[in-house]
CSV table of all heavy atoms in Angstrom, one decimal:
chain,number,residue,atom,x,y,z
O,172,GLN,N,109.8,120.7,118.5
O,172,GLN,CA,111.2,120.3,118.3
O,172,GLN,C,111.4,119.5,117.0
O,172,GLN,O,112.3,119.8,116.2
O,172,GLN,CB,111.8,119.6,119.5
O,172,GLN,CG,113.3,119.5,119.4
O,172,GLN,CD,113.8,118.6,120.5
O,172,GLN,OE1,113.1,118.3,121.5
O,172,GLN,NE2,115.1,118.1,120.4
O,173,GLN,N,110.5,118.6,116.7
O,173,GLN,CA,110.6,117.8,115.5
O,173,GLN,C,110.5,118.7,114.3
O,173,GLN,O,111.2,118.6,113.3
O,173,GLN,CB,109.5,116.7,115.5
O,173,GLN,CG,109.8,115.5,116.3
O,173,GLN,CD,108.6,114.5,116.3
O,173,GLN,OE1,107.6,114.9,116.7
O,173,GLN,NE2,108.9,113.3,115.9
O,174,ILE,N,109.5,119.6,114.4
O,174,ILE,CA,109.3,120.5,113.2
O,174,ILE,C,110.5,121.4,113.0
O,174,ILE,O,111.0,121.5,111.9
O,174,ILE,CB,108.0,121.3,113.4
O,174,ILE,CG1,106.8,120.4,113.5
O,174,ILE,CG2,107.9,122.4,112.4
O,174,ILE,CD1,105.5,121.1,113.9
O,175,GLN,N,111.0,121.9,114.1
O,175,GLN,CA,112.2,122.8,114.0
O,175,GLN,C,113.4,122.1,113.4
O,175,GLN,O,114.0,122.5,112.5
O,175,GLN,CB,112.5,123.4,115.4
O,175,GLN,CG,113.7,124.3,115.3
O,175,GLN,CD,114.0,125.0,116.6
O,175,GLN,OE1,113.1,125.2,117.4
O,175,GLN,NE2,115.2,125.4,116.9
O,176,GLU,N,113.6,120.8,113.9
O,176,GLU,CA,114.8,120.1,113.4
O,176,GLU,C,114.6,119.7,112.0
O,176,GLU,O,115.6,119.6,111.3
O,176,GLU,CB,114.9,118.8,114.3
O,176,GLU,CG,115.6,119.1,115.6
O,176,GLU,CD,115.6,117.9,116.5
O,176,GLU,OE1,115.1,116.8,116.1
O,176,GLU,OE2,116.0,118.0,117.7
O,177,HIS,N,113.4,119.5,111.6
O,177,HIS,CA,113.2,119.1,110.2
O,177,HIS,C,113.3,120.3,109.2
O,177,HIS,O,113.8,120.2,108.1
O,177,HIS,CB,111.8,118.4,110.0
O,177,HIS,CG,111.7,117.8,108.7
O,177,HIS,ND1,112.1,116.5,108.4
O,177,HIS,CD2,111.1,118.3,107.5
O,177,HIS,CE1,111.8,116.2,107.2
O,177,HIS,NE2,111.3,117.3,106.6
O,178,VAL,N,112.8,121.4,109.6
O,178,VAL,CA,112.6,122.6,108.7
O,178,VAL,C,113.8,123.6,108.8
O,178,VAL,O,114.2,124.2,107.8
O,178,VAL,CB,111.3,123.3,108.9
O,178,VAL,CG1,111.1,124.5,108.1
O,178,VAL,CG2,110.1,122.3,108.6
O,179,TRP,N,114.4,123.7,109.9
O,179,TRP,CA,115.5,124.6,110.1
O,179,TRP,C,116.8,123.8,110.2
O,179,TRP,O,116.7,122.6,110.7
O,179,TRP,CB,115.3,125.5,111.3
O,179,TRP,CG,114.5,126.7,111.0
O,179,TRP,CD1,114.8,127.9,110.6
O,179,TRP,CD2,113.0,126.7,111.1
O,179,TRP,NE1,113.7,128.7,110.4
O,179,TRP,CE2,112.6,128.0,110.7
O,179,TRP,CE3,112.1,125.8,111.4
O,179,TRP,CZ2,111.3,128.4,110.6
O,179,TRP,CZ3,110.7,126.1,111.3
O,179,TRP,CH2,110.3,127.4,111.0
O,180,ASP,N,117.9,124.3,109.9
O,180,ASP,CA,119.1,123.5,110.0
O,180,ASP,C,119.6,123.6,111.5
O,180,ASP,O,119.2,124.3,112.3
O,180,ASP,CB,120.2,123.8,109.0
O,180,ASP,CG,120.5,125.3,108.9
O,180,ASP,OD1,120.3,126.0,109.9
O,180,ASP,OD2,120.7,125.8,107.8
O,181,PHE,N,120.5,122.7,111.7
O,181,PHE,CA,121.0,122.4,113.1
O,181,PHE,C,121.4,123.6,113.9
O,181,PHE,O,121.2,123.7,115.0
O,181,PHE,CB,122.1,121.3,113.1
O,181,PHE,CG,121.6,120.0,113.6
O,181,PHE,CD1,120.8,119.2,112.9
O,181,PHE,CD2,122.0,119.7,114.9
O,181,PHE,CE1,120.4,118.0,113.4
O,181,PHE,CE2,121.5,118.5,115.4
O,181,PHE,CZ,120.7,117.6,114.6
O,182,SER,N,122.1,124.5,113.1
O,182,SER,CA,122.8,125.6,113.8
O,182,SER,C,121.7,126.7,114.3
O,182,SER,O,122.1,127.6,115.0
O,182,SER,CB,123.8,126.3,112.9
O,182,SER,OG,123.1,126.7,111.7
O,183,TYR,N,120.5,126.5,113.8
O,183,TYR,CA,119.5,127.6,114.1
O,183,TYR,C,119.2,127.6,115.6
O,183,TYR,O,118.9,126.5,116.2
O,183,TYR,CB,118.3,127.4,113.3
O,183,TYR,CG,117.3,128.5,113.6
O,183,TYR,CD1,117.4,129.7,112.9
O,183,TYR,CD2,116.3,128.3,114.5
O,183,TYR,CE1,116.5,130.7,113.1
O,183,TYR,CE2,115.4,129.4,114.8
O,183,TYR,CZ,115.5,130.5,114.0
O,183,TYR,OH,114.6,131.6,114.3
O,184,GLU,N,119.3,128.8,116.2
O,184,GLU,CA,119.0,128.8,117.6
O,184,GLU,C,117.8,129.8,117.9
O,184,GLU,O,118.0,130.9,118.4
O,184,GLU,CB,120.2,129.3,118.4
O,184,GLU,CG,121.3,128.2,118.5
O,184,GLU,CD,122.5,128.6,119.3
O,184,GLU,OE1,122.6,129.8,119.7
O,184,GLU,OE2,123.4,127.8,119.4
Side-chain angles (χ1 to χ4, degrees):
Q172 193 185 344
Q173 281 175 301
I174 295 170
Q175 179 172 335
E176 282 172 2
H177 189 86
V178 174
W179 279 265
D180 47 36
F181 249 77
S182 56
Y183 185 82
E184 289 180 357

